[in-house]
Amino acid sequence: MDATLLETMRTALRGPVIGPGDPGYGQARTVYNAMIDKKPAAVVECRDTADVMAAVDFVREHGLDVAVRGGGHSGPGLCLADDAVTIDLSPMRGVRVDPAIQTAQADGGATLGDLDHATHAFGLATPAGIMSTTGIGGLTLGGGHGYLTRKYGLTVDNLVSADVVLADGSFVAANPSENPDLFWALRGGGGNFGVVTSFDLELHPVDTVGAGATVWPLELFPDVLRWYRDFLPQAPDDLYGFFASLCVPPAPPFPEEIHGQKMCGVVWSSTSAPEALEETLAVVHEPGPPAFHFTAPMPYPALQAMFDGLIPAGLQWYWRGDFFDRITDDAVDVHAEFAEKLPTGLSTMHLYPVDGVAGRVGPDDTAWAYRDAVWSGVIGGIDPDPANAGAIRDWAVGYWEALHPHSMGGAYVNFLGAGERQDRVRATYRGHYDRLAEVKRTYDPHNLFHANQNIEPAAAH
């Protein structure tokens, strides 16, 4: 984009348009994952929906490439593209709560922390992630799972309506009565169909929750994972716990004598009486004595923010994911092998439960195609040092290649890594892919929004 075109774009928008020659360009193109080093032609920091509409019109009319940024947490960096215009929603972070009907309207650039802060004042929350710095937009469009998923479903199961700027620059609502085909596709289909400028979400009574963490020595890994795979799916929906391979963080509440040790563990939460969690988890000694165990009542936003300091923006990270309906003994062996090979102190593997209420939604009700999954797994190589980028990538890919034969074939779309093939996108959507491609043809026939895990428009009949 030459200087004249850049200046023309500035006149069309209220928010700043930041080009490569501008002082703020380096910061504007920075995203959560420091492994991403892309150089967009411009970053448009949209102030409102009118800015988004103008930006979409501008890139389409001038034949420019485009990417869309919400919270900037995209692991493969899909919110940026070289020589493209990034439509950056991060200035649009408002959240409005209606406590009477228990809904919240969150702008497209809002983070989970923004949402939690606004809803917690009313003793309400919706299922969404495990880190407060995550953007509500990307998380929701991919499906969205987190601490409340077993009790209240996926984020998309709680999406009431969405405001969308389409590829032709028009503004539409998507909900069960307006553009229902688009509404279906937005609930798990990623950023393929337009720029969502606000999300209306159903809220639930959630205030103080029971929170906890249990870690066991690595030699107990096979026994713990076999115990966990049997224990959690039969537990009440109120109880949630994600399994992890980890190096114990050098911080409270973990005692100093286990800091830095490779272990396995479960992070727990419960929406029933917070003080009852300790009694519920008396069984954590069954697979063997934990190295550390604690439970405590905790405000829900504090639980959501618990890992923010451990994994701040600016680290190198590379991830791969898959869905699992069971954890076989052979898969346990793979997990144990790669837990011993954790390449850095922050690298990890998580198994997030997606059963309970989420598993009881109809398989065709939303674009999320794995209602029969029990866990959404992610393997994350993470480290602050760019020199270790290759090591964490190789570990994550090697781990995934060994584990993938024990998976269901597809992954949570937000856990697809950089450079994965189109067949992985198809596997993620299973039999829904062709229907999504038809919706794509209706709302984005020329594939303007392709800087994503892309669903190509269906061919004209």
Side-chain angles (χ1 to χ4, degrees):
M1 189 187 300
D2 61 29
T4 302
L5 194 57
L6 198 62
E7 196 55 42
T8 303
M9 194 175 190
R10 288 189 174 108
T11 64
L13 292 143
R14 182 180 175 210
V17 177
I18 302 168
D22 295 324
Y25 178 74
Q27 181 59 39
R29 71 180 188 92
T30 298
V31 292
Y32 202 79
N33 183 1
M35 196 180 287
I36 305 304
D37 183 23
K38 296 180 181 177
K39 296 179 173 61
V43 176
V44 181
E45 295 187 347
C46 296
R47 290 289 183 258
D48 50 29
T49 299
D51 264 359
V52 176
M53 295 168 71
V56 170
D57 282 340
F58 192 91
V59 298
R60 185 190 66 254
E61 291 165 3
H62 290 86
L64 302 171
D65 215 358
V66 66
V68 182
R69 171 178 173 161
H73 257 247
S74 170
L78 299 175
C79 42
L80 297 175
D82 288 325
D83 301 319
V85 174
T86 287
I87 295 176
D88 185 358
L89 305 180
S90 60
M92 299 170 57
R93 294 177 58 171
V95 178
R96 183 184 181 279
V97 177
D98 187 334
I101 59 172
Q102 296 192 355
T103 62
Q105 184 176 71
D107 289 345
T111 65
L112 305 193
D114 296 328
L115 179 65
D116 291 339
H117 174 76
T119 60
H120 186 67
F122 301 96
L124 300 169
T126 201
I130 65 160
M131 290 188 66
S132 75
T133 55
T134 306
I136 193 70
L139 177 124
T140 301
L141 294 173
H145 55 69
Y147 290 115
L148 302 177
T149 287
R150 298 191 76 238
K151 179 67 172 178
Y152 295 121
L154 303 174
T155 310
V156 291
D157 300 332
N158 294 274
L159 184 63
V160 177
S161 185
D163 290 340
V164 191
V165 177
L166 301 176
D168 63 2
S170 63
F171 173 85
V172 299
N175 53 54
S177 59
E178 300 173 275
N179 302 297
D181 54 342
L182 176 61
F183 183 59
W184 176 85
L186 291 176
R187 288 176 292 161
N192 275 281
F193 307 99
V195 184
V196 181
T197 57
S198 72
F199 300 82
D200 286 10
L201 296 157
E202 183 180 359
L203 304 176
H204 306 275
V206 179
D207 193 343
T208 298
V209 298
T214 312
V215 294
W216 291 264
L218 206 58
E219 58 265 25
L220 291 177
F221 190 111
D223 295 330
V224 174
L225 185 50
R226 283 193 289 264
W227 167 80
Y228 167 82
R229 75 181 179 189
D230 296 332
F231 168 70
L232 192 69
Q234 56 79 40
D237 295 345
D238 289 313
L239 184 66
Y240 178 95
F242 73 81
F243 183 91
S245 307
L246 74 157
C247 292
V248 176
F254 300 104
E256 191 172 342
E257 59 266 23
I258 64 171
H259 286 180
Q261 292 187 30
K262 294 179 181 178
M263 293 195 174
C264 61
V266 181
V267 176
W268 307 100
S269 68
S270 174
T271 52
S272 63
E275 62 278 3
L277 182 58
E278 183 60 38
E279 182 179 348
T280 301
L281 296 181
V283 294
V284 298
H285 295 269
E286 290 181 2
F292 176 73
H293 170 75
F294 96 101
T295 61
M298 189 176 292
Y300 180 68
L303 174 64
Q304 283 279 74
M306 194 161 60
F307 298 113
D308 291 359
L310 180 64
I311 310 179
L315 302 176
Q316 306 281 311
W317 43 303
Y318 185 90
W319 62 20
R320 289 283 182 96
D322 266 322
F323 285 121
F324 302 90
D325 57 357
R326 60 181 60 86
I327 300 170
T328 64
D329 287 343
D330 288 341
V332 170
D333 292 340
V334 172
H335 284 300
E337 174 191 350
F338 281 88
E340 291 180 354
K341 297 177 180 177
L342 281 167
T344 61
L346 292 174
S347 294
T348 188
M349 183 282 302
H350 292 174
L351 290 167
Y352 298 108
V354 288
D355 60 336
V357 169
R360 295 193 282 273
V361 174
D364 299 325
D365 289 357
T366 66
W368 176 281
Y370 280 84
R371 294 294 178 174
D372 50 345
V374 182
W375 290 280
S376 171
V378 65
I379 299 160
I382 309 170
D383 194 68
D385 189 351
N388 289 329
I392 61 176
R393 184 188 298 109
D394 291 348
W395 173 79
V397 172
Y399 193 164
W400 179 85
E401 289 175 345
L403 189 63
H404 182 64
H406 307 287
S407 75
M408 299 175 74
Y412 177 37
V413 68
N414 290 343
F415 288 160
L416 294 181
E420 295 203 53
R421 301 187 307 271
Q422 188 66 19
D423 62 344
R424 282 283 282 159
V425 179
R426 282 186 170 271
T428 288
Y429 291 113
R430 285 174 153 178
H432 291 167
Y433 186 90
D434 289 343
R435 181 177 172 185
L436 286 163
E438 292 286 348
V439 177
K440 178 77 168 177
R441 184 181 64 184
T442 299
Y443 292 96
D444 185 14
H446 304 295
N447 206 8
L448 180 71
F449 300 112
H450 64 266
N452 44 46
Q453 304 294 0
N454 195 233
I455 297 164
E456 296 179 358
H461 297 306

